[in-house]
Amino acid sequence: MQVQMQGLSKVFIKGQERIDVLTDLNLDIAAGDRISIVGESGSGKSTFLHILGTLDRPSSGKVLLDGQDVFSRPAREVDALRNREIGFIFQFHHLLPDHNALYNVMMPAIIAGANPRAAEARAESLLRKVGLGARLTHKPGKLSGGEQQRVAIARAMMRQPALLLADEPTGNLDPRTSGTVLEMMLALHEEVGSTLVVVTHSRDLANQFSRRLNLVGGRFEERS
């Protein structure tokens, strides 16, 4: 999926205080590209990702996905686009605690009305690819942090998203597990051919990407 941002700004008002989080952002991401975004805590990285993922709206400016102005569409069409085309990986996994790994991965397809047997087969295949073939029936409470993150990655890839967004995907993991999770995320990204945007505070993780952006003062700086 090709991504374009044109004059994007986000402002929060708290009482009498105006907080300019993002300021006149312009960004082009080619379809299939993968980029990392770093910045200090509070720099607006998560806000940017939420707008890109259509979970939040900008105060001004446009977000174009494959040339279409996404926020000019009715809300129900934006919701449908998000479920069909965008995958999310969060620092906190947001897995359903009362359901096993297999069902957690199946969930996006079930919500979309997919055939349950087909959804189960794909979910199992994805879990095996991320090394969890022996954990299919385990609930999140029985999985380690790294295993839960792998479930979250498989869930994000369930519908083969055109755009994959990751917010601090290794933030709560030890260095060894972080490396394993990153390798799996990149491998699945390559397999599907999705556009990948990763927000992180880790310079080491960011340096694994050929294109790196630094968010400073509400604007992007390209890093060499």
Side-chain angles (χ1 to χ4, degrees):
M1 175 179 284
Q2 181 188 32
V3 175
Q4 295 172 290
M5 289 187 164
Q6 300 176 351
L8 189 81
S9 296
K10 182 65 177 182
V11 177
F12 292 105
I13 304 296
K14 292 187 176 181
Q16 300 298 314
E17 184 181 8
R18 173 190 170 105
I19 303 172
D20 292 279
V21 180
L22 303 174
T23 306
D24 194 29
L25 288 184
N26 294 285
L27 179 64
D28 289 330
I29 304 174
D33 201 0
R34 65 188 199 194
I35 71 170
S36 63
I37 296 171
V38 298
E40 300 298 328
S41 178
S43 62
K45 302 187 304 297
S46 293
T47 298
F48 160 79
L49 207 66
H50 288 169
I51 292 174
L52 179 55
T54 73
L55 295 172
D56 195 6
R57 302 179 69 92
S59 300
S60 60
K62 294 181 178 181
V63 176
L64 282 71
L65 301 180
D66 283 338
Q68 299 296 314
D69 182 358
V70 65
F71 291 114
S72 68
R73 299 182 178 188
R76 66 181 182 277
E77 291 187 13
V78 176
D79 292 342
L81 170 70
R82 183 189 314 117
N83 190 45
R84 184 179 66 249
E85 301 287 354
I86 303 176
F88 295 91
I89 303 168
F90 298 102
Q91 178 178 1
F92 301 101
H93 322 298
H94 301 296
L95 301 178
L96 298 175
D98 295 330
H99 293 278
N100 62 29
L102 188 63
Y103 185 82
N104 269 280
V105 175
M106 290 170 58
M107 184 179 61
I110 296 298
I111 291 173
N115 178 280
R117 288 190 177 183
E120 181 175 343
R122 174 157 174 77
E124 180 175 346
S125 174
L126 285 167
L127 285 167
R128 293 190 184 282
K129 286 180 180 179
V130 298
L132 293 177
R135 298 285 192 270
L136 301 178
T137 60
H138 286 58
K139 293 180 179 179
K142 298 294 184 180
L143 301 173
S144 70
E147 288 171 337
Q148 290 183 51
Q149 191 63 300
R150 282 187 266 167
V151 173
I153 292 171
R155 179 184 60 189
M157 303 303 295
M158 181 67 194
R159 301 199 69 200
Q160 298 182 301
L163 177 62
L164 180 61
L165 307 177
D167 191 1
E168 300 285 5
T170 61
N172 289 327
L173 305 177
D174 62 78
R176 180 178 178 180
T177 306
S178 295
T180 300
V181 165
L182 177 62
E183 288 175 7
M184 292 176 174
M185 186 170 64
L186 294 178
L188 288 174
H189 150 71
E190 292 288 348
E191 177 183 323
V192 175
S194 55
T195 302
L196 174 62
V197 180
V198 174
V199 160
T200 181
H201 69 275
S202 169
R203 301 281 174 171
D204 289 339
L205 188 152
N207 288 337
Q208 304 299 313
F209 292 74
S210 57
R211 187 178 181 194
R212 300 176 295 277
L213 300 176
N214 196 18
L215 187 55
V216 180
R219 291 187 170 89
F220 284 128
E221 297 176 353
E222 197 97 21
R223 298 176 62 221
S224 59

